[in-house]
Each structure stands twice: as structure tokens, then as C-alpha cells.
């Protein structure tokens, strides 16, 4: 059952990324780099879900730390660019944090389990 949920999660992440790609969302160089980093982290999560050894664990430790820092920094940048005036200023960090936790929290949990 757990493997099915992980597979569904990977599918949802992939569907969002492909939809964003088709819509033309990856226009800037930073956005393209984000897409590449996301694919690399998904490969690690795929290795965790399927219990396959893909590359060396040291590589996944570096990917985990680098990807987490990248997603946090890039996420803050995108959130500041696309802030909605409907959300009160005081609640915006909470909204960003909860959204990031729900959307990429499981990705980095699985990647951490795979790397360490």
C-alpha cells in the first residue's frame, strides 16, 4: 500500500511539472535549472520507492542537501514574485511553509531515507 502511495505521489509531482512545462512555465534559466534539479531528486525518490540502488549513496546525500537548499531558496524567490494581495502579509510565510511542506516534504523525506 505504501509503495502505491509513493508511486501516486511521484505521478502527481510529474504531472504538475509536465503541465507547467507544456504551459510554458520554464522560461527563465533559473526555472530550467529548477526543472533539472527536480528531475534529479525524483530519480532518487524513484530509487527509494523501488528499492533499487541508483548511483552511490554519497551522490544522493549531496543531491538531498543541494536540492533542499535549492528548493527552499528558489521557492522563496518564486513566492515573493507571485505573492497574492488577497493573503495578508502576516500569513504569507505560513502559507509558503505549509505549501512547501505538503508539496515537497514527502519528496525530501524519501530522498533522505534513500541517501542516509
Amino acid at each position: 500500500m505504501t509503495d502505491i502511495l509513493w508511486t501516486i505521489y511521484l505521478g502527481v509531482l510529474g504531472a504538475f511539472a509536465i503541465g507547467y512545462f507544456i504551459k510554458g512555465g520554464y522560461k527563465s534559466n533559473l526555472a530550467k535549472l529548477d526543472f533539472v534539479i527536480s528531475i534529479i531528486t525524483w530519480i532518487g525518490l524513484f530509487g527509494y520507492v523501488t528499492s533499487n540502488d541508483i548511483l552511490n549513496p554519497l551522490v544522493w546525500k549531496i543531491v538531498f542537501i543541494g536540492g533542499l537548499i535549492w528548493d527552499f531558496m528558489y521557492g522563496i524567490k518564486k513566492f515573493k514574485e507571485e505573492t497574492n494581495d488577497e493573503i495578508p502579509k502576516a500569513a504569507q510565510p505560513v502559507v509558503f511553509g505549509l505549501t512547501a511542506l505538503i508539496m515537497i516534504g514527502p519528496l525530501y523525506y524519501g530522498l533522505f531515507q534513500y541517501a542516509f
Side-chain angles (χ1 to χ4, degrees):
M1 179 66 174
T2 305
D3 290 344
I4 293 171
L5 294 176
W6 279 111
T7 305
I8 290 170
Y9 176 71
L10 275 169
V12 168
L13 283 180
F16 279 136
I18 291 170
Y20 195 66
F21 180 75
I22 291 171
K23 190 174 153 185
Y26 296 107
K27 292 180 182 176
S28 72
N29 288 335
L30 283 178
K32 291 173 185 172
L33 179 62
D34 181 56
F35 185 64
V36 170
I37 291 171
S38 295
I39 290 172
I40 293 168
T41 58
W42 298 338
I43 291 170
L45 184 60
F46 178 77
Y48 170 69
V49 170
T50 60
S51 300
N52 289 324
D53 291 334
I54 303 171
L55 300 176
N56 187 326
L58 178 62
V59 171
W60 296 115
K61 290 174 183 164
I62 294 168
V63 168
F64 170 76
I65 293 168
L68 189 61
I69 291 169
W70 171 260
D71 271 343
F72 181 73
M73 299 301 285
Y74 185 72
I76 288 174
K77 179 188 175 308
K78 289 298 285 184
F79 185 75
K80 285 182 179 179
E81 288 175 359
E82 299 174 5
T83 51
N84 191 342
D85 292 335
E86 295 175 7
I87 301 171
K89 291 272 187 207
Q92 288 179 356
V94 174
V95 170
F96 170 74
L98 288 175
T99 303
L101 185 65
I102 291 168
M103 293 303 294
I104 63 171
L107 170 67
Y108 284 103
Y109 170 79
L111 196 56
F112 177 84
Q113 294 296 321
Y114 189 55
F116 296 96

